[in-house]
Amino acid sequence: MTGYPVGVFRRRSASAATDSHSSESASPEATEATQPKGYTPKKGVPTPKRRESETIPRKPVKAPESRKEAYRAYRDRLDRQRGQTVRSSGGLKGVPKDEARYYRQQDLGEARAFARDYIDSRRSASEFFLPFSIIIIALLFINNPLFQVGVAYVAWPLMMVTIIGEGVLVGRAVKKRALEYFPDDTAIRGIGMYAAMRQLQFRRLRLPKPRLKVGEDPTPRGAR
């Protein structure tokens, strides 16, 4: 009678040892594959390395060795982004293919084209903001306290007031006329700031390039 219970306990311990050995021999990947979504492995399990988790390893990027190479890489990346924008928009009507790379997402739409034409068809003091700033900074180096005070507290504020005033007036005028010509265009939102920022740039450096000469009528053909 005493041998029977001992044999029973021995069988159970042997089966338990077999189960524990099989659970330990099972790979962590197979165990995680059978777990439900959102399962977090227990502590003590090594985290897979980034190289093992990524299917396609990243290629090392070669850093530019000179400023010229860095600028060229920047221009290439900018051209690719603009090309993707043009392709996603289905192309631009009336824009040459060689100039389509200069168009960004905020440049699309007939209302934005009108804003650019409006700015490009007129002269303003704001487009000379950069040379004015350089001249004022150079004048501050003149060793004359009275002259420096006049430049810092008269010339510079006068220039800033002129530029801000021009920006506000031009922005309102462009938005008002754009609402008349293109009432259903969604690009009208922010068109005033868009026109004011373009006005601060040199005419030759503006992108997209100007289509009108100074003095030409910027009114769209359909509204004439």
Side-chain angles (χ1 to χ4, degrees):
M1 296 296 292
T2 59
Y4 180 74
V6 173
V8 173
F9 288 115
R10 285 180 179 176
R11 291 177 182 174
R12 290 183 179 178
S13 61
S15 61
T18 304
D19 295 340
S20 62
H21 178 70
S22 61
S23 61
E24 292 176 358
S25 61
S27 60
E29 292 80 0
T31 305
E32 293 180 2
T34 58
Q35 297 296 336
K37 187 176 181 181
Y39 168 76
T40 304
K42 297 180 180 180
K43 294 182 179 180
V45 179
T47 305
K49 296 182 179 180
R50 189 172 185 179
R51 296 180 179 178
E52 298 176 357
S53 60
E54 291 181 350
T55 56
I56 302 177
R58 296 183 178 180
K59 297 181 180 180
V61 180
K62 183 180 178 181
E65 299 179 357
S66 63
R67 183 179 299 179
K68 186 176 181 180
E69 292 182 2
Y71 180 74
R72 187 182 303 168
Y74 167 74
R75 294 294 302 178
D76 293 341
R77 183 171 67 254
L78 192 62
D79 291 344
R80 287 194 300 269
Q81 293 176 354
R82 287 172 175 170
Q84 293 175 359
T85 301
V86 173
R87 287 193 296 270
S88 62
S89 63
L92 298 174
K93 297 180 180 179
V95 177
K97 293 183 179 180
D98 56 343
E99 296 184 8
R101 59 195 176 107
Y102 298 125
Y103 283 75
R104 304 164 297 174
Q105 183 65 35
Q106 56 265 37
D107 298 327
L108 305 179
E110 296 180 352
R112 295 300 174 98
F114 164 73
R116 293 193 299 272
D117 292 343
Y118 185 89
I119 297 300
D120 298 335
S121 63
R122 57 196 300 273
R123 289 290 186 185
S124 64
S126 299
E127 61 183 294
F128 302 103
F129 169 73
L130 183 59
F132 284 165
S133 302
I134 296 175
I135 292 173
I136 288 177
I137 293 174
L139 292 175
L140 290 175
F141 286 95
I142 297 177
N143 191 13
N144 188 331
L146 185 61
F147 183 78
Q148 291 178 350
V149 169
V151 171
Y153 293 98
V154 177
W156 176 259
L158 182 62
M159 184 188 68
M160 295 303 298
V161 170
T162 302
I163 290 174
I164 293 174
E166 273 193 345
V168 172
L169 295 177
V170 167
R172 290 180 178 179
V174 169
K175 187 174 183 179
K176 181 179 179 180
R177 296 185 62 176
L179 286 171
E180 296 176 0
Y181 302 146
F182 315 102
D184 299 330
D185 197 329
T186 57
I188 293 180
R189 183 178 181 181
I191 197 171
M193 180 62 68
Y194 177 80
M197 295 303 296
R198 184 176 179 85
Q199 188 173 237
L200 288 173
Q201 303 172 3
F202 276 123
R203 180 180 177 85
R204 294 183 179 181
L205 300 179
R206 292 172 181 172
L207 293 176
K209 297 180 180 181
R211 300 186 301 180
L212 301 182
K213 297 180 180 180
V214 178
E216 294 184 355
D217 187 6
T219 306
R221 294 182 179 180
R224 294 178 184 175

